């Protein structure tokens, strides 16, 4: 059962910092150095100074970006730049944004969620994790004792029962509003009504939670809890380290958008469209040749709606075509330990069959792979000759996430991209006090 709680979040005092737009930041994993510098310059109180502090010359084990983040946070709290709310609350979070020419509104709420190891309860992962980001976040947790950015969780709610409880409170008062560098408008309401919070806690109890984004932070939370328990710093099951900050969104929310993650492949030499078609011929049928029109290839994939179809562009001759896997049985041979749901994913077919099998058979040199989400990013890289082959991959669906995570499987890396990312700086959660 999902065990969620209202909590006394830490938030900016806008009387001291000014506009909320000036102090929010994206999560650490999507901040390039140029954006990091831009956010540093935007405000001396921008959350990037906590979430992704700059490296400095002479950094060592005792003087480093993690310690600087901790010092900054402590100073901001002592000066009431960031203050703790007086009442345990749930925080409704709404994001209005555009994606692929359409406007969406996604709604969820921040809560504390009890940590449990994946596979031992009702919280499910769907992506593989890497050791580097987990070690980075663990150092930050140890230094600050805070969840600075939220994990993104999903829960089933076909009847919209959670927001039937929360929505009336969003109509009673204006929200706090921020706009980020991508033009996404975020709105935040603080819900303190004890009856509403208790009702939501009760409704969430039987529901599973699927991690959409933040797998590294979730596993880091579990590790941090284990460390604090070993140090004798977790007196009971209600102590703060037992929980993590999570934004929870219903799986049928109309604003829930999963963008595809397209691949830009290098290491293939000056491969032409006919050469690539020949490599694929034993297992794929060419169902559409699109000339130089990448948009036509992507439109075909989206209209088809299946996972067995991939779009290929060869930079050497500027050509695009769409190919369909002829028989899924080959995936059973290549990934016998995985479920049928996993094997049918377009990204699984691409990596297991095309890259690992077909390219390997042709003795193609080890590939490098870049990941992008928008067709414009693909065509820009294509025009700049930043790769040799671009592959358009169909989006995974919420059904895939739910079923594959429910099998206790992990989807291949970069299988999903829930857009937009959740902002850092709207509310922080202490891992040391309630």
């Amino acid at each position: 059962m999902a065990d969620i709680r209202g909590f006394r979040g830490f938030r900016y005092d806008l009387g001291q910092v000014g506009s909320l737009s000036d102090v929010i930041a994206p999560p650490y994993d999507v901040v390039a150095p140029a954006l990091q510098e831009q956010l540093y310059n935007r405000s001396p109180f921008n959350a990037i100074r906590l979430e992704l502090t700059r490296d400095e010359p002479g950094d060592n084990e005792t003087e480093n970006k993690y310690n600087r983040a901790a010092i900054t946070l402590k100073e901001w709290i002592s000066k009431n730049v960031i203050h703790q709310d007086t009442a345990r609350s749930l925080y409704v979070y709404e994001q209005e944004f555009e994606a692929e020419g359409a406007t969406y509104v996604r709604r969820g709420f921040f809560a504390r969620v009890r940590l449990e190891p994946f596979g031992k309860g009702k919280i499910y992962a769907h992506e593989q994790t890497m050791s580097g980001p987990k070690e980075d976040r663990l150092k930050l947790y140890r230094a600050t004792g805070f969840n600075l950015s939220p994990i993104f969780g999903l829960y089933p709610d076909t009847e919209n029962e959670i927001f039937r409880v929360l929505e009336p409170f969003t109509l009673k008062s204006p929200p706090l509003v921020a706009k980020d560098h991508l033009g996404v408008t975020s709105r935040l309401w603080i819900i303190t009504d004890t009856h509403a919070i208790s009702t939501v806690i009760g409704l969430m109890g039987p529901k599973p939670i699927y991690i959409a984004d933040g797998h590294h932070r979730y596993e880091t939370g579990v590790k941090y809890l284990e460390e604090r328990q070993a140090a004798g710093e977790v007196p009971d099951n209600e102590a703060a380290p037992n929980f993590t900050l999570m934004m929870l969104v219903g799986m049928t929310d109309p604003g829930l958008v999963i963008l595809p993650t397209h691949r830009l492949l290098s290491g293939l030499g000056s491969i032409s469209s006919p050469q690539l078609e020949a490599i694929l011929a034993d297992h794929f049928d060419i169902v559409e040749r699109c000339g130089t029109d990448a948009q036509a290839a992507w439109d075909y994939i989206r209209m088809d709606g299946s996972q067995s179809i991939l779009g290929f562009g060869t930079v050497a001759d500027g050509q695009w075509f769409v190919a369909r896997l002829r028989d899924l049985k080959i995936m059973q041979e290549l990934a016998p330990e995985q479920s049928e749901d996993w094997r049918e994913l377009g990204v699984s077919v691409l990596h297991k069959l095309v890259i690992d099998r077909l390219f390997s058979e042709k003795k193609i040199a080890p590939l490098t792979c870049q990941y992008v989400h928008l067709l414009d990013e693909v065509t820009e890289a294509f025009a700049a000759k930043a790769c040799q082959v671009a592959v358009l991959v169909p989006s995974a669906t919420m059904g895939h996430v739910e079923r594959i995570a429910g099998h206790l499987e992990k989807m291949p890396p970069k299988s999903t991209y829930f857009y937009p990312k959740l902002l850092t700086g709207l509310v922080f959660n202490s891992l040391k006090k309630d």
Side-chain angles (χ1 to χ4, degrees):
M1 295 173 62
D3 187 357
I4 76 161
R5 305 294 171 87
F7 67 106
R8 298 173 59 218
F10 284 73
R11 294 185 296 112
Y12 280 108
D13 180 350
L14 299 184
Q16 293 202 52
V17 304
S19 170
L20 188 59
S21 297
D22 290 338
V23 295
I24 49 87
Y28 74 103
D29 56 344
V30 293
V31 179
L35 178 57
Q36 183 188 40
E37 190 67 22
Q38 178 185 333
L39 294 169
Y40 257 81
N41 294 334
R42 182 168 296 171
S43 168
F45 303 112
N46 190 280
I48 198 66
R49 297 169 184 264
L50 308 176
E51 171 76 352
L52 190 62
T53 312
R54 287 188 297 208
D55 290 306
E56 300 288 353
D59 279 356
N60 54 45
E61 286 298 315
T62 56
E63 298 292 332
N64 53 54
K65 60 184 179 181
Y66 307 107
N67 292 337
R68 284 193 292 277
I71 291 168
T72 298
L73 179 57
K74 185 176 181 180
E75 178 183 330
W76 288 358
I77 292 173
S78 69
K79 293 182 178 179
N80 216 37
V81 172
I82 290 175
H83 61 85
Q84 188 173 24
D85 287 332
T86 56
R88 288 188 178 86
S89 307
L90 297 177
Y91 301 80
V92 171
Y93 180 20
E94 179 179 280
Q95 292 171 290
E96 183 175 346
F97 60 97
E98 291 187 4
E100 301 286 8
T103 299
Y104 300 88
V105 176
R106 184 175 70 195
R107 296 192 306 176
F109 65 97
F110 291 115
R112 269 181 171 173
V113 177
R114 184 179 295 280
L115 291 159
E116 57 187 37
F118 289 139
K120 295 188 177 181
K122 286 295 184 181
I123 297 180
Y124 298 96
H126 82 273
E127 281 195 346
Q128 298 170 359
T129 57
M130 297 174 287
S131 59
K134 287 188 285 189
E135 182 61 27
D136 166 67
R137 291 299 94 180
L138 184 57
K139 289 177 179 177
L140 188 62
Y141 281 28
R142 288 168 178 160
T144 64
F146 266 75
N147 295 137
L148 299 170
S149 57
I151 294 160
F152 189 171
L154 304 169
Y155 61 91
D157 190 11
T158 56
E159 302 300 319
N160 197 34
E161 56 185 358
I162 299 298
F163 264 87
R164 281 208 299 269
V165 176
L166 295 176
E167 187 172 36
F169 296 93
T170 68
L171 303 176
K172 292 179 180 179
S173 60
L176 300 171
V177 181
K179 182 168 282 192
D180 68 17
H181 68 295
L182 297 175
V184 178
T185 298
S186 292
R187 304 181 181 95
L188 186 75
W189 291 265
I190 297 88
I191 312 299
T192 59
D193 185 275
T194 55
H195 177 70
I197 293 172
S198 295
T199 302
V200 170
I201 290 172
L203 291 171
M204 286 295 299
K207 298 179 185 293
I209 293 174
Y210 300 88
I211 304 298
D213 192 24
H215 291 79
H216 293 95
R217 279 162 282 174
Y218 187 89
E219 291 187 17
T220 297
V222 173
K223 176 67 173 175
Y224 180 83
L225 171 59
E226 292 170 349
E227 288 185 350
R228 300 282 69 78
Q229 287 171 330
E233 297 174 7
V234 185
D236 53 48
N237 287 336
E238 296 304 309
N242 290 291
F243 298 88
T244 192
L245 176 63
M246 196 176 290
M247 154 74 156
L248 295 161
V249 176
M251 296 173 76
T252 52
D253 186 274
L256 196 58
V257 173
I258 305 178
L259 293 183
T261 303
H262 305 307
R263 270 60 174 168
L264 305 175
L265 304 179
S266 299
L268 290 157
S270 57
I271 189 170
S272 67
S273 184
Q275 289 172 324
L276 182 53
E277 287 186 26
I279 291 173
L280 300 174
D282 287 347
H283 296 283
F284 289 86
D285 294 319
I286 309 305
V287 293
E288 186 78 359
R289 290 187 174 87
C290 307
T292 60
D293 193 348
Q295 183 68 58
W298 181 234
D299 288 344
Y300 190 101
I301 292 169
R302 289 202 296 177
M303 289 295 292
D304 182 85
S306 74
Q307 289 287 312
S308 61
I309 196 166
L310 298 168
F312 294 90
T314 47
V315 171
D317 54 11
Q319 296 297 298
W320 286 89
F321 64 88
V322 180
R324 185 187 303 279
L325 180 63
R326 194 173 300 123
D327 191 342
L328 194 60
K329 288 180 182 178
I330 183 64
M331 289 298 292
Q332 188 170 358
E333 173 191 330
L334 297 175
E337 73 285 359
Q338 306 291 165
S339 69
E340 185 174 345
D341 291 307
W342 190 97
R343 292 194 293 262
E344 77 170 19
L345 285 172
V347 66
S348 300
V349 172
L350 172 61
H351 282 271
K352 281 290 187 181
L353 176 55
V354 178
I355 294 176
D356 293 350
R357 167 66 70 86
L358 300 182
F359 287 170
S360 177
E361 286 177 348
K362 298 300 179 182
K363 307 288 193 249
I364 291 173
L367 299 181
T368 59
C369 186
Q370 300 177 64
Y371 306 95
V372 295
H373 306 290
L374 302 177
L375 186 63
D376 284 349
E377 294 174 302
V378 174
T379 55
E380 287 171 9
F382 204 78
K385 301 186 184 302
C387 61
Q388 280 91 52
V389 171
V391 186
L392 303 179
V393 184
S395 301
T397 67
M398 278 308 310
H400 288 111
V401 173
E402 184 174 5
R403 292 192 301 273
I404 291 171
H407 298 322
L408 302 182
E409 290 180 291
K410 305 288 180 63
M411 296 168 79
K414 305 294 183 182
S415 293
T416 58
Y417 186 85
F418 288 86
Y419 182 83
K421 293 279 188 171
L422 307 178
L423 289 179
T424 298
L426 295 174
V427 62
F428 304 109
N429 173 53
S430 173
L431 296 170
K432 294 185 179 296
K433 60 184 293 188
D434 196 1

